[in-house]
Amino acid sequence: LDNYYPPAFIAGRLYVFYEGVTSFDARTGKERLREKYRVNEDGLALTEAEPIFTEGFIYVSGHGRVRAISRQTGDTEWEAKDLGLTPEMILIGDVLYVRTGGQFTRIKDGDIAERGSYGVSAIDVRSGKVLWRYKGADKGITNLLVPDRNTIAIADRDDVIFIDATSGKRTARFPHKIERAAFGLLNERGDVVIGGQSEIAAFDPVSGRQLWQIG
């Protein structure tokens, strides 16, 4: 099961994420759910997102699609299509925020490859409707950050970008000057921290002013 998300025991069932999602009764081993879809696309590891479990559903991605699978019946309740590579999902309330594109490990040699298109999509989990898509990231994208409930933040090759979580419109952008930005995080003060090939720096989330840099 290398290059796949690890199995999960939840509410008496074993979920395995190998070439899709399969569930078994943890006591008898009887298969109940089998949803097959392509993962590790183009020979790259973890091009699909880590599954999200709620009381009623499992949200999974793969092969350019996001699916809501009923935990009760095992049926696919809805499917959002044509999103592109979807390596990250975050559920906030009734909205699933999905990152498309990013940096991936090539399975055959361990090298890093970048794949687009780069952006963020918002999906209504009640219907599967895509509420908006942001496609303004350029030449790369980091993981999603959530500074507050109304804001999604990402970094691309050149800038830190803030997106209105309701409309998908960009509300702010400021340069980070980090070589090959690879990841972002929020520190305990809420500052945006961006790391790259040999540098890491923190920025004020309101003004964009650089607060410190290492490297």
Side-chain angles (χ1 to χ4, degrees):
L1 295 177
D2 284 353
N3 304 310
Y4 298 90
Y5 286 103
F9 279 103
I10 298 178
R13 302 205 64 80
L14 171 64
Y15 293 87
V16 180
F17 306 100
Y18 177 81
E19 295 300 334
V21 56
T22 305
S23 80
F24 303 90
D25 186 295
R27 296 168 297 179
T28 66
K30 182 179 179 180
E31 182 178 309
R32 176 178 177 185
L33 162 66
R34 182 69 174 101
E35 183 76 16
K36 187 175 182 179
Y37 52 87
R38 183 182 174 191
V39 297
N40 290 343
E41 298 180 55
D42 299 326
L44 304 175
L46 300 180
T47 54
E48 81 283 8
E50 183 173 3
I52 294 177
F53 289 83
T54 65
E55 183 175 350
F57 295 94
I58 313 166
Y59 301 103
V60 296
S61 74
H63 200 40
R65 304 177 181 183
V66 172
R67 298 168 173 83
I69 300 172
S70 170
R71 290 180 57 181
Q72 181 176 7
T73 66
D75 295 333
T76 297
E77 294 293 317
W78 55 255
E79 186 175 73
K81 301 180 180 180
D82 301 322
L83 296 175
L85 295 182
T86 50
E88 184 182 13
M89 301 186 295
I90 297 176
L91 179 62
I92 303 177
D94 291 326
V95 180
L96 194 64
Y97 297 96
V98 180
R99 169 170 60 95
T100 56
Q103 301 182 57
F104 306 94
T105 300
R106 188 180 291 114
I107 295 173
K108 68 177 182 179
D109 55 20
D111 288 345
I112 299 299
E114 295 186 350
R115 292 289 187 275
S117 57
Y118 306 108
V120 182
S121 297
I123 302 171
D124 186 328
V125 297
R126 295 165 295 187
S127 64
K129 179 182 178 181
V130 178
L131 302 174
W132 53 258
R133 297 186 183 187
Y134 176 81
K135 300 181 179 181
D138 182 36
K139 298 179 181 178
I141 190 171
T142 65
N143 53 293
L144 303 178
L145 303 176
V146 186
D148 59 65
R149 191 177 179 88
N150 300 313
T151 306
I152 302 295
I154 56 173
D156 64 8
R157 183 62 61 86
D158 301 311
D159 301 309
V160 177
I161 301 167
F162 287 84
I163 303 167
D164 185 291
T166 302
S167 67
K169 296 184 181 299
R170 188 181 68 210
T171 58
R173 180 174 67 182
F174 51 83
H176 55 64
K177 299 181 181 178
I178 298 294
E179 183 180 2
R180 296 184 66 84
F183 68 88
L185 56 88
L186 300 172
N187 66 15
E188 66 278 3
R189 298 192 308 179
D191 303 326
V192 175
V193 179
I194 303 298
Q197 186 171 8
S198 58
E199 304 164 292
I200 186 169
F203 302 86
D204 183 280
V206 177
S207 67
R209 179 174 61 90
Q210 182 173 300
L211 303 173
W212 52 261
Q213 180 172 336
I214 300 173

